[in-house]
């Protein structure tokens, strides 16, 4: 059983959506991933959503570029949280996918994150934060992740000073 199901519109999306999987691995959250397209394989997309729900999936993370309807279509078929990751490559290098993913009609939400790599990583962290509401151990791991992140910034600042690049 995977708590988080990562869906992407094309195998070409894995280069970025793999970042979400890596974050989930680091946080100890189970995931599975499928390539399925809102346009090229609409019926298969619905079947995957149904199967994932039956298998205990709690959160869907959907990445797509261009017309980027995957997250919206998945959200139309489930009341579990859907996080949409707009991917670059189309018009405005992802502006098309951003608008397509974020502009859902009232009543069918898609939690839309940033375009590309940062969005893929944030989708994973947001999925973990949703799951952590009922999982204190995961909540602790998220706090540790934040602390590590803060330490990395401080260490980068210290290194800059040591090199004399900054005063
Ligand atoms: C979208 O169209 C996919 O999510 C992908 O980002 C984009 C282009 O797909 P490919 O032509 O690279 O398969 O549906």
């Amino acid at each position: 059983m995977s708590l988080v199901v990562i869906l992407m519109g094309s195998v070409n999306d894995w280069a970025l959506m793999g970042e979400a999987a890596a974050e989930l691995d680091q946080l100890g959250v189970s995931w599975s991933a499928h390539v399925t397209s809102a346009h090229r394989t609409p019926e298969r997309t619905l079947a995957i959503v149904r199967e994932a729900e039956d298998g205990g999936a709690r959160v869907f993370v959907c990445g797509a570029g261009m017309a980027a309807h995957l997250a919206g279509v998945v959200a139309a078929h489930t009341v579990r949280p859907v996080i949409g990751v707009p991917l670059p490559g189309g018009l405005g290098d992802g502006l098309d996918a951003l608008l397509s993913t974020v502009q859902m009609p009232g009543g069918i939400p898609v939690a839309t994150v940033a375009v590309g790599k940062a969005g893929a990583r944030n989708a994973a962290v947001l999925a973990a934060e949703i799951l952590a509401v009922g999982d204190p151990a995961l909540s602790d791991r998220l706090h540790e992740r934040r602390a590590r992140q803060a330490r990395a910034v401080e260490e980068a600042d210290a290194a800059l000073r040591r090199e004399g690049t900054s005063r």
Side-chain angles (χ1 to χ4, degrees), residues 58-82:
R58 301 263 175 85
V59 183
F60 291 90
V61 169
C62 303
M66 301 184 77
H69 292 140
L70 184 59
V73 165
V74 171
H77 290 295
T78 185
V79 295
R80 298 195 188 161
V82 176

Side-chain angles (χ1 to χ4, degrees), residues 8-13 37 39-40 63-66 87-88:
M8 68 210 89
S10 166
V11 71
N12 298 324
D13 297 334
S37 165
H39 309 111
R40 292 165 174 160
M66 301 184 77
L87 297 177

Side-chain angles (χ1 to χ4, degrees), residues 57-118:
R58 301 263 175 85
V59 183
F60 291 90
V61 169
C62 303
M66 301 184 77
H69 292 140
L70 184 59
V73 165
V74 171
H77 290 295
T78 185
V79 295
R80 298 195 188 161
V82 176
I83 303 169
V85 186
L87 297 177
L91 288 177
D93 211 18
L95 185 57
D96 50 358
L98 172 63
L99 294 176
S100 185
T101 306
V102 78
Q103 282 292 80
M104 288 298 291
I108 309 290
V110 167
T112 304
V113 292
V115 174
K117 181 174 171 178

